[in-house]
């Protein structure tokens, strides 16, 4: 597998590590482009053993799988840079929030194979949650390729593209909600006398353990919650307080707001 990254940020670095560890691509077969001004990012990719360039078109001409690991506002320029080098043999994978496969296909030559992915930042510790959808010209093998790449840094699922904005609101933005939950839980523990360092550690491990219970037992989260809540116990008392303060409603609204913002972002391009 010969892979090219347009962009050298944390996600590109995480995917590079995942590809190498999973033995999908050795570092010398990975080329990354980034503006010369981003010296630090280029140096980080070189430390991983990758080749680097400041020329986006070089990535397109050198690689068969091109991952656009850049922010949405940069996408129009990037597509312009690589368009003349894209052939039916290329697979273009975009992680830019809100930018549809149709938009990318229109900016590239006819029959271009495009996949859109929504990853999240825990990919940096190989615990990512990625979801992808295929464009109109992809081959059956392309979905397999995308799945192999993104399972190297976590879990990966395929979904209809009209649901990707909702995925953005859930797992794409979700780590931010969970970090706030960890911080708030730790604040509560500090208020009750536990030192800050231990409070954060306990809160983080609690979320990690609860998530693992959901994934490994297959039980509904509500059932697992009920298992913790003994009659007249501390947990059910705490759950009542959360309900009175709109805990679940706030999370639902957060996913809805982030989904809408993703849709709005895509509409700008």
């Amino acid at each position: 597998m010969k892979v090219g990254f347009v962009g050298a940020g944390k996600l590109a670095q995480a995917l590079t590590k995942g590809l190498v560890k999973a033995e999908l691509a050795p570092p010398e077969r990975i080329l990354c482009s980034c503006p010369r001004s981003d010296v630090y990012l280029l140096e980080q990719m070189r430390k991983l053993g990758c080749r680097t360039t400041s020329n986006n078109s070089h990535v397109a001409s050198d690689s068969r799988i091109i991952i656009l690991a850049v922010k949405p506002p940069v996408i129009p320029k990037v597509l312009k840079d690589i368009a003349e080098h894209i052939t039916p043999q290329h697979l273009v994978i975009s992680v830019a929030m809100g930018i549809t496969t149709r938009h990318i296909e229109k900016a590239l030559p006819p029959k271009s194979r495009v996949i859109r992915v929504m990853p999240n930042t825990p990919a940096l510790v190989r615990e990512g949650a990625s979801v992808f959808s295929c464009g109109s010209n992809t081959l059956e093998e392309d979905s397999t390729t995308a799945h192999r790449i993104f399972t190297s840094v976590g879990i990966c699922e395929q979904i209809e593209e009209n649901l990707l904005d909702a995925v953005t609101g859930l797992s794409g933005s979700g780590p931010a909600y969970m970090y706030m939950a960890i911080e708030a839980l730790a604040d509560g523990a500090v208020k009750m006398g536990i030192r800050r360092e231990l409070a954060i550690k306990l809160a983080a491990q609690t979320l990690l353990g609860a998530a693992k219970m959901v994934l490994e037992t297959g039980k509904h989260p509500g059932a697992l919650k009920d298992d913790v809540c003994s009659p007249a116990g501390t947990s059910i008392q705490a759950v009542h307080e959360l309900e009175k303060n709109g805990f679940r409603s706030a999370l639902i609204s957060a996913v809805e707001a982030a989904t809408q913002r993703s849709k709005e972002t895509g509409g700008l391009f």
Side-chain angles (χ1 to χ4, degrees):
M1 186 180 290
K2 202 168 186 182
V3 181
F5 287 95
V6 177
K10 290 182 178 179
L11 180 61
Q13 294 169 32
L15 286 171
T16 295
K17 292 176 184 177
L19 288 168
V20 173
K21 190 172 183 65
E23 299 183 345
L24 295 175
E28 61 270 18
R29 289 179 67 84
I30 299 174
L31 175 65
C32 174
S33 67
C34 191
R36 292 185 188 276
S37 56
D38 292 326
V39 177
Y40 175 77
L41 295 180
L42 291 172
E43 180 60 28
Q44 293 303 111
M45 293 299 286
R46 282 194 288 268
K47 284 181 179 179
L48 296 175
C50 303
R51 295 171 294 129
T52 63
T53 178
S54 59
N55 191 329
N56 293 334
S57 62
H58 183 194
V59 172
S61 59
D62 180 83
S63 312
R64 283 293 172 262
I65 299 171
I66 304 167
I67 300 176
L68 308 181
V70 296
K71 299 292 185 182
V74 184
I75 283 290
K77 179 187 182 304
V78 166
L79 294 176
K80 185 176 180 180
D81 289 344
I82 69 173
E84 64 178 296
H85 301 279
I86 300 299
T87 71
Q89 283 70 51
H90 284 91
L91 172 60
V92 178
I93 300 176
S94 170
V95 300
M97 178 191 72
I99 309 298
T100 65
T101 57
R102 182 181 178 187
H103 176 95
I104 297 171
E105 288 169 350
K106 286 174 65 177
L108 297 177
K111 304 298 181 182
S112 292
R113 295 151 53 198
V114 177
I115 286 180
R116 174 184 168 193
V117 185
M118 186 65 244
N120 65 4
T121 55
L124 297 170
V125 291
R126 303 190 72 203
E127 291 292 349
S130 302
V131 179
F132 72 94
S133 60
C134 295
S136 59
N137 304 310
T138 53
L139 308 176
E140 185 175 342
E141 66 194 52
D142 293 335
S143 60
T144 301
T145 298
H147 188 267
R148 290 175 68 198
I149 290 172
F150 286 89
T151 51
S152 73
V153 291
I155 66 168
C156 182
E157 299 287 343
Q158 185 173 359
I159 201 171
E160 298 87 351
E161 187 169 7
N162 66 331
L163 295 175
L164 269 186
D165 292 312
V167 169
T168 302
L170 174 58
S171 55
S173 300
Y177 321 152
M178 297 303 101
Y179 298 142
M180 292 176 70
I182 290 170
E183 182 182 33
L185 286 168
D187 283 346
V190 170
K191 182 180 180 181
M192 294 296 103
I194 298 176
R195 70 181 190 275
R196 172 72 61 181
E197 181 182 2
L198 178 58
I200 291 174
K201 186 175 184 178
L202 291 174
Q205 181 63 34
T206 298
L207 262 71
L208 176 64
K212 197 167 185 179
M213 287 283 287
V214 172
L215 292 173
E216 293 193 2
T217 67
K219 294 179 70 173
H220 190 281
L224 291 170
K225 179 263 295 176
D226 290 347
D227 290 343
V228 181
C229 294
S230 303
T234 58
S235 298
I236 192 62
Q237 185 71 26
V239 166
H240 185 205
E241 288 299 314
L242 291 173
E243 292 286 11
K244 285 195 293 185
N245 286 282
F247 180 71
R248 289 197 290 185
S249 179
L251 288 175
I252 292 169
S253 294
V255 173
E256 182 180 26
T259 299
Q260 186 57 39
R261 180 56 181 162
S262 180
K263 291 178 178 179
E264 291 169 357
T265 300
L268 296 175
F269 301 96

